[in-house]
Amino acid sequence: MKYHAPHIITEGTTHYPIGALKGREIQYDFEKILIYLDAKGKLLFGKKFKIYREDREILYKLCLYFIRDKTRCGQMGIDVNKGLLLSGPVGCGKTSLMKLLKHIVPHQRPYEVIPCRNIVFGFNHIGFKIIEDYGNSQFFCFDDLGVEPTGRHFGQDCNVMGEILLSRHELFINEKRKTYATTNLNAQELEERYGTRVRSRMRELFNLVGFDKGSRDKRV
């Protein structure tokens, strides 16, 4: 993917304007962003992908966050300098959106989407180096946080993602590095899974943006 102007994204031979350039600032157009996201989603996930009307409100919030619209985000209680925890029921589209939304800001540092269970499997195989690797200064989105198994390396149990989140919090405080994650769990369940210490760090680390509890399973 290339872009020859920050407000126009090129996919193959097609140009998608997602706003207008006013001086050195992009004035984003939400409807145009949705057209691009629909097209990019089909490229990434296949022709069955579509943007659902009932998701427009959460998409609007997420787009404002990614384009760093400080004024509107502030009105919604979102801090553009913090990371993002996207919550919602199974199959509502969290992972797809996190894989997709980074493409509307190709000039920003991209993050890698990694399933939490894969990180735990890595820990089981090679041990504590995995916690160092994911607690480092790269940008990650931890997918399906809270439902991963407990890690076990040479008979030693470890709450792998809990340890990584503590490292990511330190990184955020010291270097302002963001962390992203998706989860099916609510705040109470996350606290039960990781304990009060990690949960309080998560409040500092993340903006919490959630799908409605009644959001349907789009995989069905």
Side-chain angles (χ1 to χ4, degrees):
M1 180 187 73
K2 295 179 297 205
Y3 70 106
H4 53 164
H7 64 298
I8 299 172
I9 302 177
T10 302
E11 297 287 350
T13 57
T14 310
H15 303 311
Y16 295 94
I18 57 171
L21 212 50
K22 302 280 180 187
R24 298 193 64 180
E25 280 194 357
I26 302 172
Q27 289 193 339
Y28 287 95
D29 181 322
F30 182 56
E31 296 303 325
K32 287 179 177 171
I33 291 175
L34 289 183
I35 290 167
Y36 170 67
L37 289 175
D38 190 64
K40 184 65 176 176
K42 285 177 169 61
L43 287 172
L44 289 175
F45 311 118
K47 288 181 180 167
K48 286 187 176 176
F49 177 85
K50 69 174 186 172
I51 299 290
Y52 289 85
R53 180 164 286 280
E54 68 254 38
D55 293 342
R56 281 175 67 97
E57 192 181 326
I58 195 165
L59 267 167
Y60 183 62
K61 268 190 199 175
L62 292 168
C63 286
L64 289 177
Y65 170 79
F66 277 98
I67 65 175
R68 295 179 62 83
D69 186 325
K70 288 183 184 173
T71 306
R72 286 184 193 157
C73 280
Q75 290 162 356
M76 295 179 183
I78 295 171
D79 181 345
V80 297
N81 296 311
K82 285 165 67 166
L84 182 75
L85 177 62
L86 183 58
S87 70
V90 172
C92 67
K94 302 180 298 294
T95 306
S96 299
L97 287 186
M98 290 307 289
K99 286 179 176 175
L100 188 55
L101 281 159
K102 60 182 179 179
H103 294 286
I104 65 173
V105 282
H107 49 288
Q108 290 181 24
R109 273 287 293 275
Y111 51 83
E112 198 179 343
V113 179
I114 309 275
C116 292
R117 64 196 301 269
N118 291 11
I119 296 172
V120 174
F121 294 153
F123 172 85
N124 295 348
H125 184 55
I126 63 172
F128 286 88
K129 185 178 182 301
I130 281 286
I131 293 170
E132 281 176 43
D133 289 347
Y134 287 101
N136 70 15
S137 53
Q138 283 178 269
F139 290 79
F140 294 109
C141 174
F142 300 123
D143 193 31
D144 259 349
L145 184 67
V147 293
E148 74 281 353
T150 299
R152 186 154 235 235
H153 184 66
F154 283 116
Q156 194 174 354
D157 283 357
C158 177
N159 189 331
V160 178
M161 291 310 304
E163 292 298 325
I164 288 172
L165 289 170
L166 290 173
S167 298
R168 299 296 304 183
H169 176 263
E170 220 168 282
L171 200 62
F172 173 66
I173 297 300
N174 296 330
E175 297 181 33
K176 301 298 173 214
R177 298 282 172 153
K178 290 183 188 175
T179 302
Y180 308 92
T182 73
T183 187
N184 304 329
L185 304 186
N186 61 33
Q188 182 61 43
E189 289 166 328
L190 285 167
E191 188 161 320
E192 284 167 17
R193 181 74 176 82
Y194 297 115
T196 49
R197 181 166 166 246
V198 173
R199 175 69 188 126
S200 89
R201 301 294 192 280
M202 287 172 77
R203 285 191 189 96
E204 287 184 68
L205 195 55
F206 295 122
N207 292 289
L208 179 60
V209 177
F211 276 87
D212 190 73
K213 283 185 192 129
S215 293
R216 63 190 163 117
D217 188 339
K218 298 175 180 96
R219 296 176 195 161
V220 175

